[in-house]
Amino acid sequence: MNALRLLAILLLFASPGVSEGGEFDEQLQQPQLKQAWEALKVQKPDDAIRILTAYTADLQSAAHYHFIFGKALSTVNKPLEALQHYRLAYLYFPKGDLKEIALLNKGEAYLKLRNYYEASNDFSMFLSLFPRSKNLVRAQSGLVSGLIGSGRLKEALQLLNKLDDNADVLYARAGVMQRLGQVREAHEAYAVALARDASYVNKQDRQTHFVAADSASPYVSLSPVFDETLYYIGENFRLMSQPVEAEKYLVQISEPGLKEKASVSLGLMALAEGNTDKAMTIFNTAIGSSQRVVRRQAMLHLAEAEVRLGKTAEASARLQELMFNFPYTPESDQAVLKLSSLYTKDGKHDEAMKILKELIFRRYPVKEAIDQVVVILRHVHEKKETEKLAAIWKSAGPWLLDNSREKFLLEMAEALKGTGKPQFDILRWLMKNGSDEVRGSALVALASFYAEFGDTVRAREYLGKIRNRKGLEDEILRLEGKTLLAGKNYAAAAVKFGMIRKYRQEDLSPFGAAVGASPDAARVFARFEKAVAEVGGDRESLTALADIAYGLGRLKEANKYYRAVLVKDPANAWCLYRVASMTSGSEAEELFKKASSGTSAVGSLSGARLREMVMSKKYLEGNN
């Protein structure tokens, strides 16, 4: 704000008649009213109030009486009393300029009282009743102030975009954008404002101004406290990663409340620059603020600084305190998210979910909380804790059903395999709501789901829905194989599995089961053997391969595969028993001995075979 602007504002405070003109003087007939008006014009409001208090108005003079009385009371900063007189002046004045001005003065009195809702109503009524008034811009700017004060920022921005671009409007427009979170748009708006009038935010003046303007400046000032402009422009530069520019404005702030808010911003810049000690000093000071919002922000950011320094225990305690002492605030919500993240990293998934539920189960769930549930589910999945995964899904899973997460949902459906309803619910949702590609994958998984549960009718139903889809040839063969296996048609199932072009680890178990039970195992054994070689046999598939070879009398191959299992699992009783059965002498005796160490049926059988070998050995030695 330059010196001329400040001087104009001070003159407006001092001179009550600039907007009424000479016509008002001519309309005054009663000597007392003329005296009171002249007293106001020479800046003696107390004299005017004394004269008016002793005067009894009649119907003819009521409008002017209440108008002058309102002016006098407003001048001595008694907006509440002034308001009542402006209301009556508006009612008594006939249609014309003075009626309009009375309504404007009434709205501005409401602004001084910070009753922004009523102020907005008065200015809105003015614009509706007097659309061609010469005071139109004054009403519009007053309405902007009321809308900003009552938090109706989007409406304020719409109106600001219609006003001429003087400095007040430019900075107010940028400030509203900043408060709406439109940081980049606000930055561009501030650039325009600074190019037009940089002195507006470079002077040392700290003048609270809120007045109707004269013909030279037809706007109500849109920033009740000048330091607010400095704060919002500094915040904008901070969020646009321009700390030097941000600090230039933030350090100029002198109004105590805004200075405390600005200190939090300065602490955040120190934190961003890696100066954690400086940031902690600033936040520790800000925790003592008289403003609850500043205390909350300082606590939150102090916890962030403590996390950076590895002081997670202190940070956790601070975040818990913030959640407990300031519930249902933006900072409390952030504390929940940060604390749940700390819990997740420490593997405390139940504790993380417990505090997140308050954010998830709201009427409008917090998106970041749902995103954190995704992180938790992935953590649990990595640990292969399927039971816990299913429990978490049951409590919060429905909030994750969204098209933007369809790939993740497919992952979860696979991870929840064998859990029944959780997996089924995801697949059903994807089948109805997913993209075409994902719907195809969901249909495949549903067919597999029913096939594995032995419901061949349902499995074939879903199988029929994907038969004509390109690129799913192997999937269809898998499903047909599983369906035939569920129906105990082992030979046909083995053939279908044998036709798969590219095998996966999950194919080996059902393929082996089908081959092992097939009456035509010899014909498909080679294909199963090739599948195990392609994928890389695990203990289960190698054991199945060995068992099938053993059943076919192909003992050399069976021995090779049983021994391959023993390389991976030296204590495997079944393979020890089978290899021992195909071996003789001391090696067989040693293998039976190892296999008999357990309490299983195989262990008992191995023990019996071992005793038999010992007895036979003694018998032969005795006969010799």
Side-chain angles (χ1 to χ4, degrees):
M1 183 183 356
N2 58 36
L4 290 175
R5 183 185 301 277
L6 178 56
L7 179 60
I9 288 171
L10 293 175
L11 286 172
L12 285 168
F13 268 118
S15 176
V18 290
S19 58
E20 286 72 45
E23 292 181 11
F24 186 79
D25 297 54
E26 294 172 5
Q27 292 175 16
L28 296 176
Q29 302 297 321
Q30 294 75 12
Q32 296 93 326
L33 295 185
K34 288 184 178 182
Q35 290 173 14
W37 186 242
E38 289 301 322
L40 271 180
K41 289 165 74 174
V42 295
Q43 301 183 41
K44 293 182 177 181
D46 291 332
D47 288 349
I49 292 170
R50 178 178 49 78
I51 295 167
L52 293 168
T53 303
Y55 178 75
T56 302
D58 56 17
L59 186 60
Q60 186 180 359
S61 64
H64 293 84
Y65 164 78
H66 288 296
F67 187 87
I68 298 169
F69 216 153
K71 279 281 193 180
L73 290 166
S74 181
T75 304
V76 296
N77 200 28
K78 292 185 177 180
L80 182 60
E81 293 90 333
L83 185 65
Q84 305 307 318
H85 288 282
Y86 283 138
R87 182 178 63 82
L88 291 168
Y90 172 72
L91 292 173
Y92 282 120
F93 271 129
K95 188 174 182 180
D97 288 349
L98 289 172
K99 189 175 186 71
E100 293 179 16
I101 293 170
L103 181 56
L104 288 173
N105 288 349
K106 179 169 169 271
E108 288 159 8
Y110 273 125
L111 288 177
K112 286 184 179 181
L113 291 166
R114 299 192 179 186
N115 189 335
Y116 300 112
Y117 180 79
E118 291 296 339
S120 299
N121 283 345
D122 278 349
F123 292 121
S124 294
M125 183 169 67
F126 184 98
L127 294 171
S128 176
L129 293 175
F130 313 115
R132 293 180 177 83
S133 171
K134 63 184 179 182
N135 296 302
L136 198 62
V137 175
R138 179 177 165 186
Q140 288 173 326
S141 56
L143 178 56
V144 168
S145 297
L147 293 172
I148 291 174
S150 58
R152 295 152 68 185
L153 299 177
K154 290 183 179 179
E155 295 174 63
L157 184 58
Q158 288 174 356
L159 187 51
L160 278 165
N161 289 333
K162 297 176 183 177
L163 298 180
D164 293 337
D165 289 345
N166 78 340
D168 273 330
V169 172
L170 288 170
Y171 282 99
R173 185 183 294 148
V176 171
M177 289 177 177
Q178 177 65 26
R179 291 171 67 177
L180 282 168
Q182 299 173 10
V183 178
R184 188 165 296 281
E185 295 88 339
H187 193 67
E188 293 171 0
Y190 277 127
V192 173
L194 288 165
R196 181 73 60 85
D197 186 359
S199 66
Y200 193 92
V201 287
N202 287 337
K203 301 299 290 183
Q204 296 301 313
D205 307 274
R206 295 295 178 266
Q207 175 68 35
T208 300
H209 55 288
F210 214 126
V211 292
D214 61 6
S215 58
S217 177
Y219 290 91
V220 172
S221 174
L222 300 176
S223 179
V225 180
F226 177 73
D227 281 2
E228 280 190 2
T229 302
L230 292 175
Y231 174 73
Y232 285 119
I233 194 171
E235 267 293 273
N236 182 265
F237 276 113
R238 180 183 72 80
L239 293 171
M240 291 299 293
S241 301
Q242 296 183 36
V244 175
E245 285 296 309
E247 187 171 1
K248 182 173 77 175
Y249 296 104
L250 293 171
V251 297
Q252 290 187 65
I253 295 171
S254 58
E255 194 278 320
L258 284 167
K259 192 176 183 68
E260 289 179 339
K261 289 179 70 176
S263 73
V264 175
S265 300
L266 293 168
L268 285 170
M269 287 194 294
L271 198 60
E273 292 165 2
N275 195 340
T276 311
D277 291 337
K278 178 182 176 182
M280 289 185 70
T281 300
I282 293 172
F283 295 140
N284 271 309
T285 301
I287 283 177
S289 168
S290 60
Q291 300 180 82
R292 288 170 64 86
V293 65
V294 173
R295 294 205 303 275
R296 298 196 308 260
Q297 291 174 350
M299 289 178 70
L300 179 66
H301 300 314
L302 185 56
E304 291 173 355
E306 287 168 337
V307 169
R308 291 195 183 190
L309 292 174
K311 299 179 178 181
T312 53
E314 293 90 333
S316 295
R318 198 173 303 282
L319 293 170
Q320 289 172 27
E321 181 186 356
L322 180 53
M323 289 162 51
F324 181 78
N325 290 332
F326 302 100
Y328 309 112
T329 61
E331 293 77 19
S332 174
D333 289 357
Q334 286 298 311
V336 169
L337 295 171
K338 292 181 185 301
L339 186 57
S340 69
S341 179
L342 291 177
Y343 283 156
T344 302
K345 288 175 183 176
D346 286 343
K348 300 176 180 178
H349 303 117
D350 292 337
E351 290 91 333
M353 284 302 304
K354 184 178 179 180
I355 61 174
L356 280 174
K357 284 181 180 179
E358 192 277 316
L359 303 183
I360 296 169
F361 295 158
R362 289 180 180 175
R363 183 179 180 184
Y364 300 105
V366 176
K367 179 186 177 298
E368 292 83 358
I370 297 173
D371 292 340
Q372 184 59 29
V373 174
V374 171
V375 174
I376 293 169
L377 287 168
R378 284 201 160 119
H379 261 254
V380 175
H381 177 42
E382 285 172 10
K383 294 182 177 242
K384 309 294 183 186
E385 296 177 357
T386 307
E387 233 177 89
K388 182 179 280 191
L389 193 72
I392 294 173
W393 183 266
K394 285 175 185 176
S395 67
W399 280 264
L400 301 176
L401 298 175
D402 184 89
N403 289 95
S404 64
R405 292 191 178 89
E406 60 178 21
K407 297 290 186 183
F408 170 74
L409 293 174
L410 270 179
E411 290 176 31
M412 283 297 101
E414 179 63 25
L416 289 165
K417 207 168 184 178
T419 61
K421 192 173 185 301
Q423 182 196 15
F424 176 79
D425 287 345
I426 297 174
L427 294 174
R428 289 279 293 178
W429 188 90
L430 288 172
M431 187 187 73
K432 292 178 182 178
N433 303 285
S435 62
D436 186 64
E437 179 188 351
V438 168
R439 278 201 302 273
S441 299
L443 285 167
V444 168
L446 278 167
S448 179
F449 176 89
Y450 283 114
E452 289 171 9
F453 269 85
D455 189 340
T456 56
V457 174
R458 284 287 184 89
R460 288 194 177 96
E461 176 189 333
Y462 284 106
L463 187 55
K465 293 179 181 180
I466 60 171
R467 283 191 187 280
N468 297 323
R469 285 179 174 261
K470 292 182 179 180
L472 294 177
E473 291 80 8
D474 276 0
E475 293 292 355
I476 291 169
L477 288 169
R478 286 186 181 94
L479 291 171
E480 288 177 335
K482 288 178 181 179
T483 305
L484 290 166
L485 185 63
K488 299 184 179 180
N489 190 342
Y490 303 115
V495 170
K496 291 292 183 185
F497 281 118
M499 294 168 66
I500 293 173
R501 294 177 182 177
K502 188 171 179 61
Y503 289 99
R504 299 197 295 245
Q505 191 71 48
E506 65 190 59
D507 296 326
L508 300 183
S509 180
F511 192 4
V515 173
S518 172
D520 196 16
R523 192 164 64 89
V524 288
F525 174 78
R527 185 58 182 156
F528 179 51
E529 189 175 34
K530 185 179 179 182
V532 173
E534 283 180 9
V535 175
D538 57 7
R539 285 179 298 179
E540 183 184 356
S541 58
L542 288 170
T543 302
L545 199 55
D547 286 342
I548 295 167
Y550 189 89
L552 292 172
R554 298 159 73 160
L555 302 185
K556 184 178 179 180
E557 290 161 282
N559 188 42
K560 179 180 74 173
Y561 290 122
Y562 282 132
R563 288 182 182 275
V565 175
L566 289 174
V567 171
K568 297 173 181 288
D569 181 13
N572 189 302
W574 174 248
C575 293
L576 287 168
Y577 173 77
R578 274 291 172 86
V579 172
S581 300
M582 292 183 285
T583 311
S584 59
S586 59
E587 184 187 9
E589 188 176 335
E590 183 62 28
L591 291 170
F592 278 132
K593 185 177 181 181
K594 287 181 180 178
S596 66
S597 61
T599 57
S600 64
V602 174
S604 300
L605 185 60
S606 297
R609 290 290 300 273
L610 178 61
R611 288 191 294 275
E612 183 182 325
M613 285 187 72
V614 171
M615 289 176 65
S616 295
K617 186 178 179 181
K618 287 181 178 180
Y619 175 76
L620 291 172
E621 288 173 352
N623 286 337
N624 291 333

